[in-house]
Amino acid sequence: MLFYLVDDHQMFAEALKNIIEGFGYNCTVSVFSDARFALEKLKSEKPDLIILDLEMEGIGGTDMLKILSQHGLDIPVLVCSGNLTPLNMAEIKEAGARGFLRKSESIAQVKEAIIAVVEGGYYPAEFQETQSGKATKQHPLSPRQQAILTLMKSGMSNGEIADMLFLSPNTIKTHVRLMYDTLNVSSRIECLNKARSLGL
């Protein structure tokens, strides 16, 4: 099995990698300090599980979840964070996460969480019942447009975004035009500034 561990805290990530590879599942853990590197690698391989930190420089964990949902790849995601609140737990559930771990939890709990999520379940089990969407405000952009906006913020061109989301450049152009109409802007810079002012 192949797992991705996306976390910009290198010491924690390397320690967790060693712990997981020591479980005896014959699995390989690839560590990424930047979500963009992990997304790039998804073009050539499909991991069995992604373990994802929430707070990272560049593309954050919740944004990466939104991008993954637009890939059309059914990859289970387990969020592992030191800062989990009712608000961001509702957000990660809405964005498609299958469970969460606090970074303070034990090795036994890490193993339990990985088994549950890889086998198609949720962790903890009650996470499946978490009400999603109620803690988040209504977004003016569609989920695909939100993913495109996130990649625009990271500095990608339309062509690079198309490549990242496995879409055609024309599809990206259409969504960008619709975003401009929704936000009442006429350029990429105006779009990014407007999105920032609206907290998008």
Side-chain angles (χ1 to χ4, degrees):
M1 287 193 293
L2 174 63
F3 295 170
Y4 280 9
L5 174 54
V6 186
D7 194 310
D8 60 0
H9 294 88
Q10 186 173 353
M11 186 167 64
F12 173 83
E14 290 296 334
L16 185 56
K17 167 186 166 73
N18 290 335
I19 288 167
I20 294 170
E21 290 183 341
F23 286 157
Y25 296 139
N26 191 28
C27 74
T28 300
V29 179
S30 296
V31 176
F32 300 90
S33 60
D34 188 310
R36 184 166 172 171
F37 298 150
L39 289 166
E40 288 281 352
K41 194 67 174 174
L42 285 174
K43 294 183 217 174
S44 59
E45 61 187 19
K46 182 181 177 182
D48 299 284
L49 174 70
I50 295 175
I51 301 171
L52 179 64
D53 189 17
L54 281 185
E55 297 176 336
M56 297 181 288
E57 291 293 324
I59 298 174
T62 304
D63 284 334
M64 182 171 175
L65 276 165
K66 292 175 181 177
I67 293 166
L68 285 170
S69 72
Q70 299 304 310
H71 269 76
L73 301 175
D74 185 21
I75 303 170
V77 178
L78 177 65
V79 168
C80 184
S81 174
N83 183 28
L84 287 167
T85 66
L87 175 62
N88 61 29
M89 282 194 283
E91 289 177 338
I92 65 172
K93 176 68 182 300
E94 175 79 12
R98 299 298 298 265
F100 67 87
L101 275 170
R102 290 181 171 83
K103 288 187 174 180
S104 59
E105 293 190 42
S106 68
I107 292 174
Q109 287 170 307
V110 172
K111 187 173 185 178
E112 184 181 347
I114 288 173
I115 291 171
V117 173
V118 167
E119 291 183 351
Y122 290 81
Y123 187 88
E126 58 267 23
F127 184 67
Q128 186 173 9
E129 308 304 323
T130 301
Q131 293 297 314
S132 64
K134 292 190 175 181
T136 57
K137 62 185 177 182
Q138 186 171 3
H139 205 293
L141 303 178
S142 70
R144 176 153 291 172
Q145 290 164 5
Q146 292 176 51
I148 292 169
L149 176 63
T150 296
L151 296 173
M152 285 172 63
K153 289 176 184 175
S154 74
M156 287 189 183
S157 68
N158 285 356
E160 289 171 325
I161 294 170
D163 191 38
M164 182 69 74
L165 297 180
F166 309 137
L167 298 170
S168 73
N170 284 338
T171 299
I172 299 300
K173 287 178 183 177
T174 298
H175 280 292
V176 169
R177 187 176 67 251
L178 292 171
M179 287 167 57
Y180 287 2
D181 290 344
T182 299
L183 299 178
N184 194 26
V185 297
S186 58
S187 70
R188 177 177 278 230
I189 291 175
E190 286 182 10
C191 178
L192 294 175
N193 288 338
K194 185 69 172 288
R196 188 179 303 111
S197 72
L198 294 174
L200 302 181

